[in-house]
Amino acid sequence: MAFLLPAIGGCSSSESKLVTVCEEVLKLRLLAPAGYKRVEIKESNEPLNRADYKRYLAGDEYGPLIQGARMKDFDQGRVKPLMFEVLITYDAPNAYGTPIRSTSRCQYPTDNEDTSRADRLYVMVDGKTNAEWLETQR
């Protein structure tokens, strides 16, 4: 079941930790983070299928034994993982200082409905974790 919550403007006291973390990561990747201006935020979530959950577990810090146990829990319906997604539409200056409107997709997979443990290390912005993005910056 997906839900959309538009949020326009600055931060709100009811804003999720996931939105805050996603924006932090996005700003770290911009040429001029100080020029970042949020236009719109849309949040949604959907269940992970077996293949996506297996891919998510492959990046987990636990070994194959724990990953196998977690897949067994999935197969038996004891865990129902979700992929949370935040679409961030924003304006930010390009290399010439001209503000450009862009949209980034931030994703956070989890074994439960809790996004309060979202962290810069575990979200993917535009398909890359922070470590994967840093690798491309060398």
Side-chain angles (χ1 to χ4, degrees):
M1 174 187 328
F3 64 93
L4 296 176
L5 299 172
I8 300 188
C11 295
S12 132
S13 61
S14 65
E15 188 165 88
S16 75
K17 179 172 182 188
L18 182 58
V19 168
T20 302
V21 169
C22 288
E23 281 192 311
E24 284 176 11
V25 172
L26 174 59
K27 288 177 190 178
L28 289 172
R29 298 180 185 189
L30 296 176
L31 290 173
Y36 170 88
K37 300 277 189 257
R38 178 196 295 181
V39 175
E40 183 178 42
I41 297 286
K42 292 182 182 176
E43 294 185 71
S44 64
N45 70 61
E46 62 182 49
L48 282 173
N49 63 35
R50 189 177 198 288
D52 289 338
Y53 186 56
K54 190 172 186 174
R55 195 171 315 118
Y56 158 64
L57 290 177
D60 205 328
E61 68 270 13
Y62 302 110
L65 189 63
I66 300 232
Q67 291 172 9
R70 290 171 82 181
M71 283 307 298
K72 185 177 179 181
D73 286 344
F74 176 86
D75 291 338
Q76 294 176 350
R78 290 192 295 250
V79 66
K80 298 186 182 337
L82 296 170
M83 177 66 79
F84 286 85
E85 187 171 274
V86 178
L87 289 177
I88 306 169
T89 302
Y90 63 96
D91 293 331
N94 65 10
Y96 301 103
T98 305
I100 302 294
R101 181 150 299 168
S102 301
T103 299
S104 284
R105 178 182 315 261
C106 179
Q107 295 176 302
Y108 177 69
T110 182
D111 284 346
N112 53 50
E113 296 183 11
D114 182 17
T115 61
S116 67
R117 295 188 322 185
D119 181 283
R120 291 191 316 189
L121 298 176
Y122 299 109
V123 299
M124 293 180 294
V125 175
D126 296 327
K128 292 186 175 157
T129 64
N130 213 35
E132 291 168 336
W133 180 80
L134 286 170
E135 279 292 315
T136 67
Q137 301 306 299
R138 291 180 178 207

